[in-house]
Every structure is written in C-alpha cells, then in structure tokens.
Amino acid sequence: MIDAAGLRVMKAIADEGSFTSAANALGFTQPAISQMVRRLEQRTGTVLVERYGRQVRLTEAGQVLARHAVGVLAALDAAEEEITAIAGLRAGRVRLQAFPSSSATLVPRTLAILKARHPDITVTFTEAEPPESLAALRRGDCDVAVAFAYEGGDLGELEEDLSLLVTRRLLDDEVRLVVPRTHPHAEDEAATLADFSGEEWIAGCPRCRGHLLALADTAGFRPNVAFETEDYVAQLGLVTAGLGVALVPDLILNAAKHDEVATLPLSPASRRQILAVTTPDLLRVPAVAAALDALCEAAGADPGVSPAHLVGGEA
Amino acid sequence: MIDAAGLRVMKAIADEGSFTSAANALGFTQPAISQMVRRLEQRTGTVLVERYGRQVRLTEAGQVLARHAVGVLAALDAAEEEITAIAGLRAGRVRLQAFPSSSATLVPRTLAILKARHPDITVTFTEAEPPESLAALRRGDCDVAVAFAYEGGDLGELEEDLSLLVTRRLLDDEVRLVVPRTHPHAEDEAATLADFSGEEWIAGCPRCRGHLLALADTAGFRPNVAFETEDYVAQLGLVTAGLGVALVPDLILNAAKHDEVATLPLSPASRRQILAVTTPDLLRVPAVAAALDALCEAAGADPGVSPAHLVGGEA
DNA sequence: CGTTTCCATAATCACCCGTTATGATTGGTC
DNA sequence: GACCAATCATAACGGGTGATTATGGAAACG
C-alpha cells in the first residue's frame, strides 16, 4: 500500500515546501510529484496534502508519512550500503573448510594473501575432512571447501559428491614413500611398491589408508599395517624410529622437517589432487571469488575453473 | 534501487525457505518470486540467493536484506496503521480557533459532543478574533475557524478573507439593544435605533463597534461612545449600572445572566452570521469533518456546506 | 492589470510486476 | 534404473504504475 517511493516523495515535499522544489530535489518533473501524491491519497483514502492557493502543506496524515519516511529511507540506505560494501569487497564473509594437512601451509598462506588484499573481509576457517566439508558446503554452512582426491582411487567416489559443485584444481600433490635413512632402499632413485611388501606400514587417515591399500593391491600384496595415526608429523617420527614405512604427500614433506628419513618418489608415480570446491552461485560472490583466487595463488596454480564433473577428465 | 516489495520477498524467502512457500505466504505465484529475485539481483549487482539443487538459501547479501526487511516493514506497517487510525477517527488532531464570545457556549458544547463521539481525537482550542483565526487557517496553523460577520456590514470585507475557503453557517445571531430596566423605552416591543441617538453608548470589540457605527449611521446619528470593553459581561454590568446602552448579540444573552436589564429586538432587525470556516482539503479530513459536524450540532444548524463566496448570496 | 509562478490535467509511453503455461533438473521411490 | 513428485527457470502476455511533454487555470506579486 505504501512504498518507499511514496515516502521519499512525501519527505521531499515536507523538506522543500512545494511540489516543484520536491521534484527538482528528486530529479523528477513537477507532474510526477503531483500524480504521485494523488495516487498515494487514493490508495490510503486520506488527504495527505492541503492545497491552499498555490502553496501546499502536509496534513497530519501527510506529516505522519513524512516522519516515518526518515527512518525507513535511512534503513533502506543502510541496507544498500551494506550490499555495495559486500559487492565492493569492503565487507563480506568467507567460511573456509579445509582438510587437516592443508592447514599447515596452503591455508595460512591463503589467509595471509586474502588479509593483505582485502583486509575488511571476515574469514572463518574450520578444519574438516573432505566428506564433512563438502556436506557443510551442500548444507550452506561453508563457502569454500578445500578437498583432495587420490588419482585413480576415490576420484570417482568424490565425483558423485561434487555434483552441482564447481572446483578449481589447486595443485597436484605427489605421494612419496618415506623410509628410514638406514633402509636398504634408502638411496634408490625411485621406489617400486612391490619391493616393500614385507615392511610394516604406517597408515594415516581412512582415505589415505584406502589409497595405500589400493596401491598395494595393484602391486600385488596386502600391506601389514602396524600403526595408524592421522598426524603426519607423528608418521615421520615413527619412520625415523625405524618402526615402519609410510606414504606421505609432498605437501607435508615441504612443510615438515624430515632430515632423518629418506623420501623416495614412487614408480609408477602416484598423486593426489587438491581442489577448492564451491557452488556455482557462491562463485559469483566477490568475497568467495577473492578467496578462491587467493587459494590458487597460494598453491601456485592457474586460476582456471572447471565444473565438478570434469575434474578427472583432462590434464 | 531497493524497495519495500523486494524486502518483503527476501524476508519471505528467509522465513519460508523456498520460493514456492514464500510465494504462498505472500499470495503470489512462484514465478513472481523467481523473477523478483532475479530483478533484485541484477539491480544490486549481487548474488542474493544461492540455488543448490532444488533448494535455495540466502547468501550473505541476501541475509542483509532479509534482516533489514524486518525493521523497514515494521515501520511501514506502523505508518499505515497511523494513517488508517486517522482515517478511522481513532486518532487525529483538530486545531480550532474561535472568537471570544463563542467560547462561552458554542465551543464547549462542540468539544463535549466531539469528545463523546470520538474520544481519541485530540482537539486544541485557541481563542482568536476572526481576522487572526482566518490568518492562522491560511497559514496552516489552524484547521477550523469559527468567525462571525455582521450582515450588510463587514460581510463584504470578510468575503475577501474567505477566498479559497469553505464555510458552514452555524447560526444567525440576532443583535439586541440592552438598556437599563429603568429606561423609558425598556418596555417597548422593539427598539428603533434613532430613538437612542442621545444615549451614551457602550461599545465592544473593534468590529462590533464598527457595526454599531454603521447601524447608527443608517439611523442618521453618530453614537456617543462613553465606554469600550470587549467583555460582554462587563457591558451588561455597565448597562445595569445605568451608565449607557449597548448592542449585544443573542448568543451572549442566552449564556450570561441579564436579569437587571431589558433586551429589545431592533427594528429593523440586525443579525450577525456565525460561520465555521476551513479549507476545501481539510474538509475531507475525517477529524475536521467531525469537528464541523459537532459545531453544527452544537449550534443547531443544518450541516450544509457552502463555498465561501456564496456566504452572503442566498439565505 | 499583466506577469510570473505555482499546481492540475491530458495524452503518451516505457517498464515493472504480476499472471499462466511450460520446461529442466533434482531427489526420492518402487 | 526408471518413474514420479517437487522445485526453480523461462517465455509470452497483460495491466497498471510511474515517468514524460504539453497545456491550462488560478493565485500572488509588482
């Protein structure tokens, strides 16, 4: 019944004292004001303006509208300002979830880039394994999820989780075999997994363990898993102590100290893909886009975007 | 850029959780919501709604709008309620100005009627002589003026003051000659003014005095004005004391005690018109209309309205 | 008394904002 | 694994809002 335009007009009349001035103040012509008032009057069924001679003044009802106009228009302007602030990266929120081992280097570097570039954006970060982070993304509790998938392994399984989502490949993380310095194969150029079928193995998180099992299966043996820990630093410690061997991604090795062990590339090589995941709509939210850019930059990847179902396709 | 309708839609989506439910809640169809959101999004240049699968949820920017919607819509409703209250006589204001001698009976009776009929209306009353009350009316400081005009006398003069105004004739107030009980003509049926050319006169307010002078001039003499007071009770007291004679309107005589004097109708009769005056627009304001009705009722007049320039025309 | 300066009205036109009808896609179900 | 229900998107269409220009009438002013 009453809209913002009507209030704006009433306020302008109250402020300016005449239809003509109000029209000028609002950038309209005088007849626009004239019939705007008339429409308002017949909508409310009330006399809003008293025309006396060639001057106009608001009736009590008109003053009521003009008075309320102040608050309403202020609130409207405030809303608009907030929106443009979000659009202009002068405000906004990004909720990031990433898997634990990315927290060490990728995420901190991303947050630093983001903070430097857009200091007014609020970034929240939660550590979560891919299944949970993607669930949060689908649920709407998260804006960007950083996930990983082992090539050939759970890429297919992940793919179904990625339907309706978009991803950016951040980096290809090569998996290396970590053995004690004193190990007979410690000086090899590369490691063939079958050579280690008799070792005791140290496994990580459920999905990493799954990857280990898959690789071993391909190599024709079942690994003897003696220890399990999700903490890669602990894994390196166990290897250092000579208690077994482990598969550890490069990303971890670049960040953690590992002088006491030998790290061998696998032959054939095995990699995991690290992906940033979000929804198509969120991609168009400036703060989210900025976060993705920062993630790419931190990972040193090109900032190309690919729909979820193309993840394993090319490359 | 952002209007009330848009906010209403965003709030409905936030509350209901889907376009379809929001549409039902607002009484619209689903496509209406769909393209309303699209328009809002391209107007603000921002993603407001995140479509994931077949569910929708607000982005941060969308939540900003939904949050502001509460306040804005509440304020809008409040304004609308105030307006309808004024229209429904459950609120409103009437500023009444009346000439002093009407304050005795006409105005109190009017206020009583008004208060009984519409207890929620605020009535303010100011005593003012016709020139001032009409000026206030023109200035917008008054809603209803109760004025009077002597027939034949200043009716023409008043008429020019009444341009652009509307009037209601409240009553015709006959003017009587007041003389001491002991006066030789005290028992006459009627008074011919010429018979009192030698008396000492008691005059009232400037315009009443003007009327006296006009009547005397017609009768062929210049009255010897010995006393002047605007207080009619004082005039009656002066007459009672035998200090002179006076012209006093019936309205006063009906209200004030005057046992000690004789009141004679004039021949030819002389009347003053008592009018309620307002502007054409204010006439359509419910509270003002109610006040005019109450005035008519208090005066016992028919509630006909006549444009100002017809005041002296018929009757 | 003309002249200016207001506001009102008429005619016109664009676009906003609804509608109905229909399609695309998701997500559950037998 | 294919149907089925639910949800949002889109197209086509129509009415009304809300602006414009052009014009008229009345009031205040010199």
Side-chain angles (χ1 to χ4, degrees):
Chain A
M1 180 170 172
I2 300 175
D3 59 345
L7 290 186
R8 203 180 310 268
V9 167
M10 292 305 294
K11 178 164 150 42
I13 295 172
D15 290 345
E16 303 290 329
S18 80
F19 283 15
T20 306
S21 307
N24 290 335
L26 294 177
F28 294 151
T29 57
Q30 170 262 316
I33 305 298
S34 198
Q35 50 191 341
M36 187 74 191
V37 170
R38 184 171 39 157
R39 274 192 299 267
L40 265 180
E41 286 186 329
Q42 60 195 26
R43 255 184 257 171
T44 59
T46 316
V47 183
L48 298 177
V49 171
E50 188 190 344
R51 287 89 163 164
Y52 178 81
R54 77 185 196 193
Q55 66 177 314
V56 294
R57 48 178 177 252
L58 301 188
T59 64
E60 193 190 2
Q63 287 167 8
V64 164
L65 287 190
R67 189 177 47 226
H68 280 89
V70 182
V72 170
L73 295 178
L76 237 43
D77 283 350
E80 200 165 317
E81 163 56 24
E82 276 194 56
I83 297 289
T84 58
I86 290 175
L89 288 167
R90 296 179 11 250
R93 175 199 63 183
V94 180
R95 295 161 302 174
L96 180 66
Q97 297 204 358
F99 58 89
S101 62
S102 75
S103 317
T105 59
L106 192 58
V107 168
R109 220 179 298 167
T110 301
L111 299 189
I113 292 174
L114 212 45
K115 197 77 188 169
R117 199 169 295 166
H118 308 295
D120 300 324
I121 291 181
T122 306
V123 184
T124 64
F125 166 62
T126 307
E127 225 178 56
E129 290 289 342
E132 287 82 37
S133 62
L134 291 181
L137 191 59
R138 274 192 303 276
R139 219 180 313 123
D141 293 336
C142 160
D143 299 312
V144 177
V146 177
F148 65 90
Y150 284 101
E151 277 181 350
D154 49 9
L155 242 178
E157 154 197 339
L158 191 65
E159 199 164 319
E160 112 182 7
D161 273 6
L162 290 179
S163 81
L164 301 183
L165 299 176
V166 292
T167 65
R168 276 196 194 173
R169 291 180 61 164
L170 295 180
L171 46 86
D172 281 2
D173 193 14
E174 182 145 4
V175 180
R176 297 181 113 90
L177 181 67
V178 179
V179 300
R181 269 277 167 74
T182 59
H183 193 281
H185 287 284
E187 304 294 331
D188 290 5
E189 295 258 322
T192 305
L193 213 55
D195 296 344
F196 298 82
S197 57
E199 299 286 340
E200 301 209 306
W201 286 85
I202 304 162
C205 68
R207 297 177 61 230
C208 306
R209 179 199 170 100
H211 181 235
L212 167 60
L213 294 179
L215 284 184
D217 189 61
T218 308
F221 70 99
R222 261 186 81 113
N224 170 25
V225 175
F227 302 94
E228 293 188 35
T229 170
E230 302 199 1
D231 184 341
Y232 280 107
V233 176
Q235 292 187 27
L236 292 177
L238 291 171
V239 174
T240 304
L243 298 175
V245 299
L247 290 178
V248 178
D250 243 357
L251 192 64
I252 304 299
L253 297 176
N254 291 340
K257 204 173 140 66
H258 57 278
D259 301 331
E260 318 283 330
V261 296
T263 66
L264 308 173
L266 288 180
S267 171
S270 173
R271 278 182 289 273
R272 64 173 189 176
Q273 277 181 19
I274 297 186
L275 308 166
V277 188
T278 187
T279 71
D281 287 331
L282 287 178
L283 201 57
R284 294 167 44 223
V285 172
V288 172
L292 283 178
D293 288 344
L295 270 170
C296 287
E297 212 166 309
D302 80 303
V305 178
S306 42
H309 56 281
L310 292 182
V311 166
E314 65 230 325
Chain B
M1 178 169 173
I2 301 176
D3 60 344
L7 291 186
R8 202 179 313 268
V9 167
M10 293 305 294
K11 177 166 149 43
I13 295 173
D15 290 345
E16 303 291 329
S18 80
F19 283 13
T20 305
S21 308
N24 290 334
L26 294 179
F28 292 151
T29 57
Q30 170 263 317
I33 305 298
S34 198
Q35 49 191 333
M36 186 74 188
V37 170
R38 184 173 36 158
R39 275 192 297 266
L40 265 180
E41 285 186 330
Q42 60 194 27
R43 255 185 260 170
T44 59
T46 316
V47 182
L48 298 177
V49 172
E50 189 191 344
R51 287 90 163 163
Y52 178 81
R54 74 187 196 192
Q55 66 178 312
V56 294
R57 48 179 178 252
L58 301 188
T59 64
E60 193 189 3
Q63 288 167 7
V64 164
L65 288 190
R67 179 155 29 92
H68 279 88
V70 182
V72 170
L73 295 178
L76 235 45
D77 283 351
E80 200 166 317
E81 162 56 24
E82 275 195 57
I83 297 288
T84 57
I86 290 176
L89 289 166
R90 295 180 11 251
R93 176 198 63 181
V94 181
R95 296 161 302 174
L96 180 65
Q97 296 205 358
F99 58 91
S101 62
S102 74
S103 315
T105 60
L106 193 58
V107 167
R109 221 178 300 166
T110 301
L111 298 189
I113 293 173
L114 213 46
K115 199 76 188 170
R117 199 167 295 165
H118 308 294
D120 300 325
I121 291 182
T122 306
V123 184
T124 65
F125 167 62
T126 308
E127 225 177 54
E129 290 289 342
E132 288 81 37
S133 62
L134 292 181
L137 192 58
R138 274 193 303 276
R139 221 180 312 122
D141 292 338
C142 159
D143 300 312
V144 177
V146 177
F148 65 90
Y150 285 102
E151 277 183 350
D154 48 11
L155 242 178
E157 155 199 336
L158 191 66
E159 200 164 319
E160 113 182 7
D161 272 7
L162 289 179
S163 80
L164 300 184
L165 299 176
V166 293
T167 65
R168 277 196 193 172
R169 291 180 61 164
L170 294 180
L171 47 86
D172 282 2
D173 194 13
E174 183 146 3
V175 180
R176 296 179 114 90
L177 181 65
V178 179
V179 300
R181 269 277 170 73
T182 57
H183 194 279
H185 287 284
E187 304 294 331
D188 291 3
E189 296 261 319
T192 306
L193 215 53
D195 297 343
F196 298 83
S197 58
E199 300 286 340
E200 300 209 305
W201 286 85
I202 303 162
C205 69
R207 298 175 61 230
C208 306
R209 179 198 169 100
H211 180 235
L212 167 60
L213 294 180
L215 285 186
D217 190 59
T218 308
F221 71 99
R222 261 188 81 115
N224 170 23
V225 175
F227 302 94
E228 294 187 35
T229 171
E230 303 198 1
D231 184 341
Y232 280 107
V233 176
Q235 290 188 28
L236 292 177
L238 291 171
V239 174
T240 303
L243 298 175
V245 300
L247 290 178
V248 178
D250 245 357
L251 192 64
I252 303 298
L253 297 175
N254 290 341
K257 205 169 139 65
H258 56 278
D259 301 330
E260 319 282 331
V261 296
T263 65
L264 308 174
L266 288 182
S267 171
S270 174
R271 278 182 289 272
R272 62 173 190 178
Q273 277 182 19
I274 297 186
L275 308 166
V277 188
T278 188
T279 71
D281 287 331
L282 287 179
L283 200 58
R284 293 167 45 223
V285 172
V288 172
L292 283 177
D293 288 344
L295 270 171
C296 288
E297 212 167 307
D302 82 302
V305 179
S306 42
H309 56 281
L310 293 181
V311 166
E314 63 230 327

